Amino acid sequence: MKDAVPASLLSNSDAENLEDCLAICLSGGGYRAMLFHLGTLWYLSDAGILAEAGRISSVSGGSITSALLGLRWNAIAFGTPGHPTRFRSLVVDPIRKLASKTIDVRAVLLGALLPGTISDRVRKAYDETLYQGATLQDLPDAPRFVINATNVQTGALFRFSKPYIRDYRVGMIRNPRRLLAEAVTASSAFPPVLSPVRLEFGDDEWEANSGEAALQKPPYTTEVRLTDGGVYDNMGIETAWKRCKTILVSDAGAKMQPDPDPHGDAARHSLRVNSLIDNQVRSLRKRQVVSAYQAKVRDGAYWGMWTSPDEYTAPSQLVLSNEKARELAEVSTRLAKMDGALQERLINFGYGMAERAVRTYWRADALAAPAFPYPRGI
């Protein structure tokens, strides 16, 4: 937590201009992130914090979990008797069912051999397992759920929510009725295999004068090309950062590892260089968040899969060894089947890291959990 960033990165952090609201931000990282964030949300639910959220912003793997949470939010009825049981049956169990299926390889193979696209196969898998035909209008009015993708055409964030779809350069569509599975597919379209996602809109769906004049026209308004939300903002903080005073960030993203002999051929060398650029952006965003906490222009906490558990000083009954935590952080970010034991370990990991970070850096009196959701620990 000692990193610092230039003051310019905090220029939009004037506390007087922020709403007194709590935002929860969930990063990308495939099924690994989906399950880690499930544990995060489980702890926040048990601690009575989740019900306080005013905004839940997500990208990629985080969007898979957050979208289902939003769809089931009213049925869970946080704070009422029985809500922990409903949280488990309505959110945890379906997410684990999805984690027992391989989506990415099947989508690629069928997309290559049969009519339709790869993204069509991914959307169908999400919809059949989790969302069952629900649209953005089935999300609750509060909290605001924001599912983020990246617009390849404009280079801007493309936001899906109940009140509107928006790319600040192209414009806004109010009260959209697009499939929830479609939004999650775009948000988790990891390049290059699962990307781009092609969405068609009517030019007249966009609110007049809501974007840049040069871009609020076809094909930008009619043939939209999207990729993974993590390409623009892998922690999902952008839509919350300019609005909320309190930010909780759950980061299950990848971390670039040293390579003593990087490839020299054009294709693989380019991938390595792109990874370097991506890693730098992620590092800057993390430092922005941490520096804002330190400067007292934000409240909240950050926790990541690559943070050593023993860096959090709050006492905890949940045993998290640095060695096992590192092992889980190295799990693949694919949308590939995981066995039950690994699923439970990742959920427990997210649960335990959220508890430690919240109690260390934000609310010392938050719930000290007596046990993990699953007895195996991590």
Side-chain angles (χ1 to χ4, degrees):
M1 302 281 291
K2 297 180 180 179
D3 294 331
V5 294
S8 60
L9 283 180
L10 301 177
S11 61
N12 66 353
S13 303
D14 183 356
E16 294 181 0
N17 296 325
L18 296 171
E19 299 174 22
D20 185 18
C21 66
L22 167 65
I24 299 170
C25 301
L26 307 176
S27 78
Y31 277 179
R32 183 185 72 189
M34 176 181 79
L35 292 165
F36 182 84
H37 298 320
L38 186 58
T40 282
L41 295 170
W42 202 336
Y43 170 73
L44 296 178
S45 174
D46 285 350
I49 294 170
L50 187 54
E52 301 175 16
R55 179 175 291 256
I56 299 178
S57 177
S58 61
V59 297
S60 198
S63 292
I64 303 173
T65 300
S66 69
L68 184 64
L69 175 66
L71 183 59
R72 304 301 182 204
W73 186 274
N74 290 332
I76 295 168
F78 289 98
T80 65
H83 91 264
T85 299
R86 294 191 292 273
F87 178 82
R88 184 163 185 164
S89 63
L90 295 175
V91 180
V92 175
D93 293 345
I95 290 293
R96 293 199 58 185
K97 181 179 179 181
L98 181 67
S100 299
K101 301 179 179 182
T102 295
I103 290 179
D104 49 11
V105 171
R106 178 178 173 83
V108 171
L109 292 176
L110 292 179
L113 298 173
L114 298 174
T117 66
I118 292 171
S119 59
D120 289 338
R121 309 296 173 186
V122 174
R123 176 188 52 75
K124 182 178 179 182
Y126 287 156
D127 201 46
E128 289 180 346
T129 307
L130 298 179
Y131 312 121
Q132 301 172 337
T135 75
L136 293 168
Q137 293 309 301
D138 292 306
L139 294 173
D141 292 324
R144 172 76 55 83
F145 282 82
V146 184
I147 299 168
N148 299 284
T150 304
N151 191 327
V152 180
Q153 295 158 304
T154 66
L157 204 62
F158 195 95
R159 293 172 280 169
F160 297 87
S161 66
K162 183 175 183 176
Y164 55 77
I165 283 173
R166 182 163 177 78
D167 175 321
Y168 83 94
R169 303 192 70 187
V170 178
M172 178 188 300
I173 297 175
R174 293 193 182 274
N175 304 314
R177 295 192 173 276
R178 306 297 293 221
L179 288 173
L180 194 54
E182 189 176 62
V184 176
T185 299
S187 182
S188 59
F190 189 79
V193 178
L194 302 181
S195 170
V197 172
R198 297 171 170 84
L199 300 184
E200 295 183 359
F201 296 90
D203 186 49
D204 59 355
E205 292 184 69
W206 300 85
E207 185 173 289
N209 303 315
S210 60
E212 297 176 8
L215 296 181
Q216 197 168 9
K217 62 183 181 181
Y220 300 104
T221 55
T222 56
E223 300 175 15
V224 177
R225 302 293 180 262
L226 303 177
T227 191
D228 194 296
V231 171
Y232 187 94
D233 172 18
N234 194 57
M235 291 192 294
I237 65 172
E238 184 78 10
T239 62
W241 191 254
K242 298 174 183 178
R243 292 173 174 81
C244 295
K245 170 69 174 176
T246 304
I247 309 281
L248 299 180
V249 180
S250 180
D251 184 6
K255 181 178 181 180
M256 189 174 188
Q257 300 302 308
D259 185 346
D261 187 22
H263 294 288
D265 61 277
R268 289 181 292 182
H269 183 69
S270 295
L271 287 174
R272 180 69 178 177
V273 171
N274 285 337
S275 295
L276 285 166
I277 296 169
D278 176 69
N279 187 70
Q280 177 68 357
V281 172
R282 294 178 192 223
S283 297
L284 284 171
R285 284 191 178 272
K286 178 184 174 181
R287 290 201 293 271
Q288 176 185 8
V289 170
V290 172
S291 293
Y293 295 150
Q294 294 172 331
K296 306 300 182 184
V297 293
R298 290 291 189 286
D299 293 325
Y302 164 95
W303 56 95
M305 296 191 83
W306 290 92
T307 306
S308 297
D310 62 8
E311 290 186 21
Y312 299 107
T313 57
S316 176
Q317 299 181 58
L318 309 179
V319 178
L320 297 174
S321 77
N322 290 342
E323 180 180 357
K324 290 185 176 180
R326 177 61 181 267
E327 179 183 311
L328 291 173
E330 293 177 346
V331 169
S332 169
T333 60
R334 286 184 50 200
L335 305 178
K337 178 180 179 179
M338 291 185 181
D339 64 51
L342 180 56
Q343 290 182 32
E344 292 180 4
R345 291 178 64 200
L346 283 165
I347 293 169
N348 283 347
F349 187 23
Y351 190 99
M353 291 296 280
E355 184 222 38
R356 290 188 181 210
V358 166
R359 285 170 45 77
T360 298
Y361 293 113
W362 184 41
R363 290 184 180 175
D365 61 348
L367 172 70
F372 287 113
Y374 299 104
R376 71 175 64 247
I378 72 161

